[in-house]
Amino acid sequence: MTRASLTRLAVAGAAILGAAALTVSPAVADPASKAAAPAVSNGTNHGPKHPAGHGHQPDPSVSVRLLTINDLHGNLEPPTGSGSRILDPNGPLTDTDGSLTGIAGAKYSIAGGAAYLAAHLKQLRTDNTLLVGAGDLIGASPLLSAAYHDEPTAALLDQLGLATSSAGNHEFDEGINELKRIMNGGCHPADGCSPAGTWKGTSFDYLGANVQKESNGDYALPPYFVKKINGMKVAFIGLVTQTTPSIVTASGIAGLKFTEEIAAANKVSKLLARHGVKAQVVLVHEGDGITPNQDPSSCPVVPGAGSRIAKGLDPQIDLVISGHSHQAYVCKVKDPAGQDRVYTQGSSFGRAITQIDFKIDRRTKDVIRSSVVAKNNVVTRTVTPDPDTETYINTWKERVSAVANKPIGKITATIGRGSNVGETPLGDLIADAQLEATKTGGNAEIALMNPGGVRADLTFPQSGAEGDGVVTYGEAFTVQPFNNLMQVVTLTGAQLKALLEQQIWKVDPTTGGITQRILQPSSSLTYTFDTTKPEGSRVSDIKINGTAVTDTQQIRVAANNFLVGGGDGFTVFTQSTNLWSGPLDIDALVAYMGAHSPIAPPATGRINLIR
């Protein structure tokens, strides 16, 4: 589909947002008219054709294969550590004691890496194959991609033949204008052109049927994409989690509103159906958790936001491809008409490709639901990596190496996120670094770090040739890839307690799994968090540098701009006063490493966690 076609789609789609009357741009036809029928992209793969009059009957159906990825997060190089492992019932490796996957006896594979992803995609492609995504393909990326605002990843996705993707919450990390620049081209307004030259943009677009401009309700992104495959039209409707405003910095979603997913998709689905596009697929960046150590094909989901959407979408929608929760599953759910509908997700970091095969009836132009077969293919590293992709990645490694390989400090042992439950050594280290970076200008007394912003361990074994225990800038950036701004605000003692009460700690009575969001504290802050007490009554004995906090006390609190904007549900931050802004979070960590090396893993115990 051409860029002009997609622009027309976005404008025409915006016109259907009105409740009763349809409002349109003067240059665009009413979407209910024939002239405004959804534009399509002609497929490049066609099945065999038979000359007329030779007795051949056309095949009554068209076969389609979708290959789907989600939550790549710019992982061009093979991920390492826990991010490289994927639970795999057919995997060659066994976690004997649960120290690797957290599940003793689980089978797993080492997976991921763009060169291996490309090789597996080539093996899986056949006639009438499309590659599509379910969001977070960029954002929260390793330095190799993030140093150049994810242009390396976006260009590679083009090379891999990505047709379209829903936007994910991380596609908004740098705001809607930056996302449009990635799609449309042009050099970065602050950092200029990358070493590759002027950015040309992508041939695919991110979709967002539930992303609107606050100013006028128009779509901020194209709501759908239609592809013609051997004469049959297949529509892809894009959605992003409606919780995006609570998990992205306020600046990233400025001027946008994120509406409820089902209603937004159903409105677009009805428009498409009116114009004869009956085969419909939803790409949604929202998903479910799973019961651990289960075969993805057994649908091990713990029903949540993803299942709600998958079950509630209009019966005209045939498939639901999800993301966001970084899990692997293949499910069938019942749509509102009682029909089976396939609902899938393909892990994260390029470790899996979901393969969905189905047929479209030439007469009805709709998906034959009984024909749909789906499975997750692990992107193992047992295949020969794609040489062209390897060359491409090595080129970018050379471009970023001067920055990535620069030593910034030393550690005496691996400093990890642990199980990322409660307080962790790496979370404590980052909070200490943030406190030190904000004391002078912002007069910070304590610092708090969101655990979701800690993306990897600091490992003692060398990752390259830097030597064991040496921490490079690239390794530090992998830990903190968001380039958030450090800020300091004033909270009262009562507000600090209310903020800490907003932390989450829930135990699933069936699986025993813990859902939690515990802020990582600097060494100056100690308190008790009693999970056995009712929510709202769990925090007590708050002290700063050993002195008890009073309700009326004025406290200078350092945190990144994501938290200060109320991210992760910590809305008490928005009640703060006297805002001060300082360095980037990555710069705070780099400075701390340089000043205090060698650094040993901090002892936990700042939070007296009772459970």
Side-chain angles (χ1 to χ4, degrees):
M1 177 175 286
T2 65
R3 180 72 57 186
S5 296
L6 281 168
T7 301
R8 288 195 297 271
L9 283 182
V11 178
I16 68 169
L17 285 174
L22 299 178
T23 59
V24 298
S25 164
V28 179
D30 187 319
S33 73
K34 182 178 180 181
V40 299
S41 174
N42 290 318
T44 55
N45 296 319
H46 298 276
K49 296 181 179 179
H50 301 292
H54 286 263
H56 294 285
Q57 295 298 319
D59 190 326
S61 64
V62 172
S63 295
V64 177
R65 170 169 290 184
L66 298 184
L67 301 177
T68 81
I69 56 175
N70 59 275
D71 296 276
L72 180 63
H73 289 290
N75 277 262
L76 300 181
E77 293 187 276
T80 59
S82 60
S84 70
R85 295 185 288 270
I86 183 170
L87 291 172
D88 180 3
N90 301 313
L93 304 172
T94 303
D95 186 358
T96 56
D97 61 1
S99 60
L100 296 176
T101 67
I103 307 166
K107 304 291 288 183
Y108 69 96
S109 290
I110 302 298
Y116 296 100
L117 178 67
H120 280 273
L121 285 171
K122 284 183 177 179
Q123 291 179 355
L124 293 170
R125 288 187 189 277
T126 183
D127 287 345
N128 302 337
T129 298
L130 284 182
L131 173 65
V132 297
D136 275 10
L137 304 182
I138 58 175
S141 304
L143 184 64
L144 179 62
S145 183
Y148 302 108
H149 300 278
D150 280 311
E151 290 176 20
T153 297
L156 180 64
L157 291 169
D158 247 347
Q159 294 174 27
L160 295 178
L162 184 71
T164 193
S165 176
S166 63
N169 54 285
H170 281 291
E171 267 83 15
F172 295 96
D173 281 347
E174 295 188 56
I176 186 65
N177 289 336
E178 171 62 7
L179 179 56
K180 287 184 175 179
R181 184 190 73 85
I182 289 294
M183 294 189 291
N184 298 332
C187 294
H188 191 271
D191 296 337
C193 297
S194 80
T198 302
W199 174 242
K200 305 300 184 183
T202 59
S203 60
F204 66 88
D205 272 285
Y206 283 101
L207 309 178
N210 66 326
V211 185
Q212 298 176 9
K213 299 176 183 178
E214 282 186 330
S215 60
N216 57 14
D218 285 355
Y219 286 128
L221 294 170
Y224 59 86
F225 170 80
V226 179
K227 182 80 171 181
K228 185 177 285 187
I229 302 176
N230 204 7
M232 295 291 102
K233 297 175 184 177
V234 182
F236 298 88
I237 303 169
L239 301 168
V240 60
T241 172
Q242 64 178 313
T243 68
T244 295
S246 69
I247 53 178
V248 172
T249 57
S251 60
I253 49 86
L256 302 175
K257 59 182 178 180
F258 296 79
T259 64
E260 194 277 322
E261 303 94 344
I262 295 174
N266 287 353
K267 180 175 289 187
V268 175
S269 172
K270 287 179 169 58
L271 169 67
L272 291 163
R274 283 202 303 270
H275 292 292
V277 186
K278 302 296 182 65
Q280 299 180 8
V281 178
V282 157
L283 306 172
V284 55
H285 192 71
E286 182 61 279
D288 291 325
I290 64 168
T291 301
N293 200 19
Q294 301 292 317
D295 187 331
S297 64
S298 69
C299 186
V301 302
V302 178
S307 289
R308 176 188 66 82
I309 296 167
K311 295 175 181 177
L313 291 167
D314 192 282
Q316 185 63 64
I317 294 167
D318 301 290
L319 306 168
V320 180
I321 298 163
S322 69
H324 191 48
S325 59
H326 290 207
Q327 303 299 336
Y329 49 77
V330 174
C331 299
K332 283 187 178 180
V333 299
K334 295 293 185 183
D335 69 16
Q339 303 178 86
D340 282 338
R341 178 156 59 200
V342 167
Y343 163 52
T344 70
Q345 189 175 160
S347 186
S348 61
F349 306 150
R351 293 176 294 173
I353 301 166
T354 305
Q355 172 188 331
I356 307 173
D357 294 294
F358 58 91
K359 292 181 180 295
I360 298 175
D361 188 305
R362 287 186 183 274
R363 181 181 59 83
T364 65
K365 301 180 182 179
D366 206 350
V367 172
I368 302 171
R369 292 281 185 96
S370 60
S371 72
V372 182
V373 178
K375 66 176 181 177
N376 272 342
N377 299 280
V378 174
V379 179
T380 62
R381 300 180 194 170
T382 56
V383 301
T384 301
D386 179 66
D388 292 338
T389 305
E390 276 196 314
T391 299
Y392 175 84
I393 292 170
N394 287 335
T395 298
W396 282 103
K397 287 175 67 175
E398 291 173 5
R399 289 168 173 167
V400 79
S401 61
V403 175
N405 296 334
K406 182 181 179 180
I408 62 168
K410 293 183 178 181
I411 54 178
T412 64
T414 293
I415 305 177
R417 299 176 294 166
S419 59
N420 212 24
V421 173
E423 181 188 352
T424 70
L426 187 51
D428 285 355
L429 170 63
I430 291 172
D432 288 344
Q434 294 180 348
L435 177 61
E436 185 163 301
T438 54
K439 271 185 176 179
T440 301
N443 300 313
E445 301 169 78
I446 64 173
L448 295 168
M449 174 64 189
N450 54 305
V454 186
R455 307 297 284 195
D457 298 338
L458 277 180
T459 56
F460 183 81
Q462 65 181 7
S463 61
E466 72 276 12
D468 291 346
V470 176
V471 178
T472 65
Y473 184 88
E475 291 170 330
F477 191 91
T478 300
V479 170
Q480 279 194 280
F482 295 107
N483 274 324
N484 283 326
L485 190 68
M486 288 310 306
Q487 296 183 316
V488 182
V489 295
T490 297
L491 294 174
T492 66
Q495 287 173 326
L496 176 59
K497 181 181 186 302
L499 176 75
L500 296 175
E501 290 285 1
Q502 289 186 313
Q503 297 176 120
I504 295 172
W505 187 279
K506 295 180 180 178
V507 179
D508 189 293
T510 303
T511 66
I514 297 172
T515 299
Q516 60 90 43
R517 190 178 292 123
I518 301 296
L519 294 170
Q520 307 296 286
S522 61
S523 61
S524 55
L525 174 65
T526 59
Y527 65 94
T528 294
F529 190 85
D530 190 344
T531 67
T532 66
K533 292 185 177 180
E535 293 183 25
S537 305
R538 293 177 167 180
V539 177
S540 63
D541 196 27
I542 305 174
K543 294 179 180 179
I544 296 178
N545 294 318
T547 301
V549 170
T550 67
D551 284 350
T552 58
Q553 182 176 343
Q554 301 285 299
I555 304 165
R556 293 294 282 165
V557 182
N560 59 48
N561 60 313
F562 167 68
L563 280 175
V564 171
D568 271 350
F570 291 102
T571 56
V572 172
F573 265 118
T574 64
Q575 304 169 18
S576 62
T577 58
N578 302 321
L579 174 69
W580 175 88
S581 295
L584 294 176
D585 54 5
I586 181 62
D587 293 339
L589 180 59
V590 169
Y592 190 86
M593 295 292 300
H596 296 278
S597 291
I599 297 175
T604 55
R606 303 169 186 185
I607 304 173
N608 177 25
L609 185 64
I610 300 173
R611 52 174 169 156

